Amino acid sequence: HPPPNTRYPIFKFQKNNHAEMMFNGTVRISKISDFRDKEKHKNQILDEGEGTATFQGHNHTTQIEINNQYIFCATEHFLSDSLLWAISEGKECCVMVTDPEELYKRITNNTQTGLTHTGSRKCAYVTTRIFEQEAGRLQELSATQLLN
């Protein structure tokens, strides 16, 4: 069973047709590697570092890339930056999931998916400091880094 750390309820901002699919029993879930694909995603959904990590040692660097995991993104805060993001990304509606664990159970119990729910976790995005040289001066840029 998944850990009991999922907040209730959760909110899924999406296009109308994806919400209709949910109400008809089909949930759209993406591979984590899809979020690195510039052809599929743009703006804030595109994350070229999604599912990757770089470890640097004294004389070597190791890059880890996760490709075969599926992810269902939602938020526990309706009135938040998530709502502003959804509006800016052209999302048309929001579905409130009152029992996320039941949703995950139904997805994983469906023999057609072959998926196993390994847990629900809250993502912590923290601001990092990135500098870019522009017109002969350094400019601080805003960026986020996904932490576990």
Side-chain angles (χ1 to χ4, degrees), residues 52-138:
T52 66
T54 302
F55 299 94
Q56 294 182 338
H58 291 289
N59 295 323
H60 67 283
T61 299
T62 302
Q63 176 80 24
I64 296 173
E65 190 173 280
I66 300 169
N67 293 313
N68 61 347
Q69 297 293 311
Y70 287 85
I71 188 169
F72 179 80
C73 298
T75 182
E76 62 184 10
H77 304 288
F78 178 78
L79 296 175
S80 66
D81 288 343
S82 296
L83 177 58
L84 299 175
W85 163 84
I87 292 168
S88 73
E89 293 288 325
K91 302 302 179 185
E92 301 165 324
C93 66
C94 180
V95 173
M96 180 174 69
V97 179
T98 57
D99 189 347
E101 297 301 331
E102 180 64 23
L103 173 67
Y104 306 143
K105 185 173 82 176
R106 288 183 186 201
I107 292 169
T108 57
N109 286 345
N110 184 326
T111 57
Q112 295 175 354
T113 67
L115 299 175
T116 302
H117 182 226
T118 58
S120 303
R121 289 168 187 74
K122 185 176 180 180
C123 294
Y125 289 92
V126 296
T127 301
T128 59
R129 297 179 75 194
I130 297 176
F131 294 91
E132 178 180 86
Q133 186 158 357
E134 182 180 286
R137 62 181 174 83
L138 288 178

Side-chain angles (χ1 to χ4, degrees), residues 8 20 28 38-39 43-44 53 58 77-78 80 95 117 136:
Y8 297 96
E20 287 295 326
R28 186 171 183 266
K38 291 179 186 177
E39 299 296 319
N43 303 325
Q44 292 184 10
H58 291 289
H77 304 288
F78 178 78
S80 66
V95 173
H117 182 226

